[in-house]
């Protein structure tokens, strides 16, 4: 006899199955989150390109060749740092994934398998669900969800820049409330 059969025979509620891992929602943040990073490093790169073109068009004539070499290496270094920063920002968001099932919230972060971090939180550990103002994300039809938990590994879960926030919250809240009521005796705060 399985645990499920035992629960059904005793007349205990059937809805709080601890093995139900059907997905309520899964998704990734939008790359719009990186817009400030792209604008910052893009602006610096354009400014460096303008300075370098002015330097090559005549400013360099009054300085010794060593200064010209230092300027060339410095501008190249800034372009490399800008490209690496923008690539890292892109990949960090690209490899962030959140899955909400009927029992758990799973967050996966990390660019490579070596640095990948998988964090799990029971839905019954969620204390509060907040929908902060979308701000500039609203211009792109995006919003965020913030969940405060009693989990030591994840005191705050932030699901950033997603579409249809209200639908995600509408799916999540009934399951969360049901689990809080049914598991209160075992996992209460």
């Amino acid at each position: 006899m399985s645990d499920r059969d035992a629960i059904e025979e005793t007349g205990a509620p059937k809805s709080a199955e601890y093995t139900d891992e059907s997905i309520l929602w899964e998704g990734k943040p939008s790359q719009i989150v990186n817009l400030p990073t792209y604008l910052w490093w893009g602006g610096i790169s354009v400014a460096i390109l303008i300075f370098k073109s002015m330097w090559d068009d005549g400013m360099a004539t009054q300085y010794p060749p060593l200064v010209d070499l230092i300027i060339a290496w410095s501008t190249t270094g800034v372009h490399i740092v800008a490209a690496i920063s923008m690539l890292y920002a892109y990949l960090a968001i690209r490899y962030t994934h959140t899955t909400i099932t009927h029992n758990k919230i799973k967050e996966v972060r990390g660019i490579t398998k070596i640095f990948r971090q998988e964090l799990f939180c029971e839905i019954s550990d969620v204390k509060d669900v907040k929908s902060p103002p979308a701000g500039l994300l609203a211009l792109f039809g995006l919003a965020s969800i913030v969940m405060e938990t009693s989990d030591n590994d994840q005191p705050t879960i932030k699901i950033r820049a997603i579409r249809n926030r209200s639908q995600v919250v509408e799916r999540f809240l009934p399951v969360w409330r049901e689990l809080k009521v049914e598991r209160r005796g075992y996992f209460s705060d």
Side-chain angles (χ1 to χ4, degrees):
M1 180 189 298
S2 70
D3 291 337
R4 177 182 265 175
D5 294 336
I7 291 174
E8 289 177 7
E9 286 179 8
T10 60
K14 298 176 187 176
S15 58
E17 293 184 31
Y18 298 105
T19 58
D20 185 9
E21 293 299 330
S22 57
I23 296 174
L24 291 173
W25 179 84
E26 65 180 341
K28 299 178 179 185
S30 172
Q31 286 292 335
I32 296 298
V33 171
N34 289 326
L35 189 60
T37 302
Y38 297 152
L39 291 175
W40 171 257
W41 285 111
I44 288 176
S45 293
V46 168
I48 292 293
L49 283 174
I50 291 170
F51 172 76
K52 181 69 171 134
S53 68
M54 289 172 46
W55 182 263
D56 291 340
D57 284 343
M59 281 174 102
T61 56
Q62 58 189 354
Y63 295 100
L66 179 63
V67 173
D68 189 40
L69 184 64
I70 291 171
I71 294 292
W73 279 100
S74 298
T75 56
T76 302
V78 169
H79 286 299
I80 290 171
V81 168
I84 290 172
S85 295
M86 288 189 285
L87 180 65
Y88 177 77
Y90 170 79
L91 291 174
I93 293 297
R94 171 87 167 90
Y95 290 106
T96 298
H97 186 80
T98 305
T99 304
I100 301 174
T101 66
H102 275 80
N103 283 314
K104 293 183 179 106
I105 300 170
K106 176 184 175 185
E107 283 188 304
V108 178
R109 295 182 192 145
I111 295 174
T112 64
K113 287 186 179 186
I114 297 170
F115 299 110
R116 183 156 298 147
Q117 184 179 28
E118 292 184 2
L119 300 170
F120 296 91
C121 179
E122 293 285 331
I123 287 184
S124 56
D125 287 343
V126 174
K127 292 182 193 175
D128 193 17
V129 179
K130 297 179 183 177
S131 299
L136 294 177
L137 290 175
L139 294 174
F140 302 99
L142 304 170
S144 300
I145 301 171
V146 177
M147 299 178 189
E148 294 178 12
T149 71
S150 59
D151 189 41
N152 292 333
D153 294 336
Q154 293 176 278
T156 303
I157 298 172
K158 294 178 184 174
I159 304 174
R160 299 169 39 195
I162 60 171
R163 295 202 182 280
N164 303 323
R165 170 180 67 184
S166 59
Q167 290 176 358
V168 175
V169 171
E170 286 173 9
R171 285 186 199 158
F172 176 77
L173 285 179
V175 174
W176 174 56
R177 288 180 184 134
E178 182 180 335
L179 287 173
K180 285 297 265 188
V181 168
E182 291 179 8
R183 294 182 182 178
R184 184 157 304 229
Y186 299 103
F187 301 107
S188 66
D189 293 332

